[in-house]
Amino acid sequence: MRQVKIFSGSSHPGLVESVCDRVGVSPAKAELGKFANGETKVQLNTSIRNQDVFIVQSGSDKINDDVMELLIMISACKSGSAKTICAVIPYFPYSRQSKKKSHRGAITARMVANLLKVAGVTHVITIDLHASQMQGFFHCPIDNLFAEPLIANWIRMNVEDYKRAVVVSKNPGGTKRVTSLADALKLNFGIVMTDRQRPGNGIDSMMQSAILDPIMPRGLDGNSESIGTRAGEQVNGRGSSMPRLKIPAGHGSRPSPSPLHHSIILDRNDRPVEHTDSSSDVPSPASTIRGDDDGEAGDVDDAEDDDDAGSDSGDEGDFDPNNRGVITGRLVAGHIVDDDYPSPTMSATSRGSRVHSPEDDLESLPEAMLSSYMSTASSTRGGFKESLGGSGDAGASDDEEDQLINPDLESTVTLVGNVRDRPVIILDDMIDKPASWVAAAETVVKRGGATRVYCIATHGLFGEGCLEDMEACECIDAIIVTNSAAVSEEKLALSKKLVVLDVSNLLAEAIRRTHHGESISQLYMHY
């Protein structure tokens, strides 16, 4: 091609050489280095006046130096009167910081896009942004290429019996990427979800999802006998009151005497509702939970009878998660453990507090506190630190990885989808830390019964110890990444499972079409 100059940054020179070979040009000469004080030095040794300039610079383990070097090279090309300046960034730096993850967080990806514009870039080409919405950060045209056609072609050629394979997402945030590949290959898909909350008993689950009525230690007349509502009685004379919720089977027995026995029911104006005093009508703690809006209050004994009748009639009331393709398991220190494995010192929800029943909490309360309201909707309950707006997907992925490998925390993993006797393809956009990949692989193999597991991602970043841990995992059969980010020769020699796909042809064709003003739509198509 004429009137084209392709410069290489220091992050991935091998990829630039492959791109230039396919385009048919030689890499433009530039001197890259550092001054004695650590500042980045860039000197272009080729005339770029009225030329279409392409600067190829990806992210690496020296991410900050890569960004600064790219900005200086763009500025140098602008000063050299280049016609157009296109930044080819296979792995876009800071792409994971595309939204605020706390009230005082920074949207760093937008800042990098603004810096590129200020430096003088006129076009950006990248591959598989962490979030496609990031394209709105740029003030110039951007082409977000996909490695999906390349990955799909590798699956067709190398995965035995791939038509029976299942594409699995290791977190809810990657479902869109997974369903796209599954649709392209006409495969089934599934999802692995890691819940930070450790499951409790049935009563505690209902307590956390209900609004309890006010609790007082004594009746209005000063005695210690309980006051409640009869079955079918309306509160405040209105038919819109909420009745008591039926207790699930296995939790119908009344607890031992506790301060809850000295409770009363208040109407909407906080006035007590009178009823006949009977020790046999003492409501259980869960019976004060507000339920449907049909205006009638159900009796606990009736609920027990209904549950007993349902259990005697057959297995219709039993729920087997495996029958619906939902399998759960326990994760301790990032690995699947058996159900009888001893529980760690604390669960992911307790954050250091012991696991105990609601009755223990109530019996330990001072009598003066029993006249207050019990609130389970408080944001401080459980001690969770949610992301901005309460959206779980906005949480930092590093926090999830740290929780998985913490030996003092237990998590619940859920597999949705049938993978038994099928090969599984776990897909995401990058591999940085190993904990979530190992946990997902062990889940689909040990709990789901998968035959083989392929971990596939576009960007192989491989943080400290990541490739070693994934190589040591017996449940992972192959690790497939592209060379969008540089993978050192040492890592290639270290792992027998690692396969690196070449994206130089994709980038070379994008550069050629951009220079000639042709459409790049065909680069998104599967062949």
Side-chain angles (χ1 to χ4, degrees):
M1 295 188 301
R2 302 178 61 182
Q3 304 295 316
V4 172
K5 298 296 182 182
I6 300 179
F7 288 95
S8 171
S10 59
S11 64
H12 204 339
L15 179 61
V16 179
E17 292 179 0
S18 299
V19 170
C20 291
D21 290 341
R22 296 179 182 273
V23 172
V25 299
S26 299
K29 296 181 180 180
E31 180 182 350
L32 306 177
K34 288 184 177 295
F35 290 102
N37 60 353
E39 294 179 357
T40 301
K41 178 179 65 175
V42 173
Q43 177 65 45
L44 305 182
N45 298 328
T46 303
S47 175
I48 56 175
R49 182 174 298 274
N50 202 31
Q51 302 276 318
D52 289 333
V53 176
F54 295 87
I55 304 173
V56 183
Q57 178 81 309
S58 187
S60 67
D61 52 353
K62 300 179 180 179
I63 194 71
N64 294 325
D65 292 340
D66 297 337
V67 172
M68 183 56 63
E69 185 178 81
L70 175 61
L71 295 174
I72 297 176
M73 293 182 72
I74 294 173
S75 179
C77 292
K78 183 180 179 180
S79 302
S81 302
K83 181 180 179 181
T84 61
I85 305 172
C86 179
V88 182
I89 314 174
Y91 167 61
F92 194 84
Y94 293 95
S95 60
R96 282 182 292 188
Q97 302 184 45
S98 59
K99 54 188 170 184
K100 294 181 66 174
K101 298 174 182 177
S102 65
H103 290 283
R104 287 175 291 276
I107 307 177
T108 315
R110 182 179 61 184
M111 183 193 69
V112 174
N114 293 336
L115 290 174
L116 291 173
K117 178 61 178 178
V118 172
V121 74
T122 59
H123 192 191
V124 174
I125 298 177
T126 186
I127 301 178
D128 280 335
L129 287 173
H130 187 63
S132 59
Q133 297 88 336
M134 286 176 53
Q135 298 177 72
F137 294 161
F138 295 86
H139 301 278
C140 63
I142 176 174
D143 294 322
N144 181 29
L145 304 178
F146 296 155
E148 181 181 293
L150 184 64
I151 293 174
N153 184 61
W154 185 92
I155 293 174
R156 293 189 189 98
M157 300 293 294
N158 296 275
V159 177
E160 184 179 356
D161 197 14
Y162 83 92
K163 294 184 178 180
R164 298 187 68 252
V166 180
V167 188
V168 174
S169 174
K170 66 183 182 69
N171 53 58
T175 53
K176 185 176 180 181
R177 186 178 297 106
V178 164
T179 54
S180 177
L181 180 62
D183 291 341
L185 295 174
K186 297 180 174 56
L187 303 178
N188 295 328
F189 64 89
I191 182 174
V192 173
M193 297 177 292
T194 303
D195 189 3
R196 293 177 293 178
Q197 290 188 351
R198 179 182 173 187
N201 54 47
I203 293 294
D204 189 49
S205 300
M206 290 192 300
M207 290 292 185
Q208 295 189 18
S209 60
I211 302 175
L212 298 184
D213 284 319
I215 298 176
M216 295 182 64
R218 305 286 180 181
L220 293 181
D221 54 356
N223 56 32
S224 60
E225 297 182 355
S226 303
I227 302 176
T229 56
R230 294 180 179 177
E233 185 178 23
Q234 296 181 351
V235 178
N236 201 23
R238 302 178 184 178
S240 60
S241 64
M242 289 183 278
R244 302 167 182 171
L245 187 66
K246 293 182 179 181
I247 301 177
H251 299 290
S253 59
R254 291 188 173 89
S256 58
S258 69
L260 277 177
H261 286 203
H262 308 296
S263 62
I264 64 171
I265 305 300
L266 302 182
D267 63 9
R268 300 182 179 181
N269 296 322
D270 293 339
R271 292 176 299 186
V273 179
E274 297 182 358
H275 81 301
T276 57
D277 191 4
S278 174
S279 59
S280 62
D281 294 334
V282 175
S284 65
S287 65
T288 59
I289 301 175
R290 298 178 179 176
D292 301 331
D293 56 353
D294 56 2
E296 296 183 356
D299 186 72
V300 175
D301 294 332
D302 295 339
E304 296 176 3
D305 295 340
D306 293 341
D307 294 333
D308 295 339
S311 61
D312 296 338
S313 61
D315 296 332
E316 296 178 357
D318 297 335
F319 174 71
D320 185 6
N322 297 329
N323 293 338
R324 299 190 179 183
V326 179
I327 301 175
T328 59
R330 297 174 58 198
L331 278 178
V332 177
H335 297 281
I336 289 288
V337 297
D338 297 331
D339 293 337
D340 57 352
Y341 185 86
S343 180
T345 56
M346 61 179 176
S347 67
T349 55
S350 61
R351 303 299 175 121
S353 61
R354 67 181 184 92
V355 180
H356 49 270
S357 63
E359 289 80 3
D360 295 338
D361 288 337
L362 294 170
E363 292 178 358
S364 62
L365 288 176
E367 187 170 345
M369 294 180 62
L370 294 176
S371 59
S372 62
Y373 285 85
M374 294 180 58
S375 173
T376 61
S378 173
S379 60
T380 60
R381 183 178 178 88
F384 270 131
K385 294 179 65 177
E386 291 292 347
S387 305
L388 182 60
S391 57
D393 62 337
S397 59
D398 291 342
D399 295 341
E400 178 184 355
E401 295 280 343
D402 294 340
Q403 288 180 1
L404 289 178
I405 63 177
N406 190 340
D408 293 332
L409 296 181
E410 178 179 336
S411 303
T412 300
V413 62
T414 303
L415 169 63
V416 181
N418 181 19
V419 299
R420 184 166 299 278
D421 299 329
R422 297 169 179 262
V424 169
I425 300 167
I426 303 177
L427 182 68
D428 206 351
D429 65 318
M430 67 180 69
I431 299 179
D432 185 10
K433 292 188 176 182
S436 58
W437 291 92
V438 172
E442 292 186 358
T443 300
V444 298
V445 172
K446 296 182 179 180
R447 304 294 293 180
T451 57
R452 296 177 64 84
V453 174
Y454 301 87
C455 295
I456 302 180
T458 302
H459 312 296
L461 305 182
F462 298 118
E464 183 178 358
C466 175
L467 188 57
E468 292 82 352
D469 291 346
M470 296 183 69
E471 179 75 18
C473 180
E474 298 179 353
C475 297
I476 297 178
D477 296 283
I479 306 168
I480 298 91
V481 297
T482 71
N483 61 344
S484 60
V487 180
S488 63
E489 296 294 335
E490 293 78 7
K491 292 182 178 179
L492 288 174
L494 176 67
S495 175
K496 297 180 180 180
K497 301 178 181 179
L498 182 61
V499 178
V500 180
L501 307 181
D502 189 13
V503 295
S504 60
N505 188 38
L506 176 65
L507 294 175
E509 186 63 16
I511 291 175
R512 188 192 70 81
R513 289 173 179 267
T514 300
H515 172 66
H516 292 294
E518 301 176 6
S519 172
I520 65 169
S521 298
Q522 292 185 355
L523 300 181
Y524 297 93
M525 299 176 62
H526 292 260
Y527 296 96

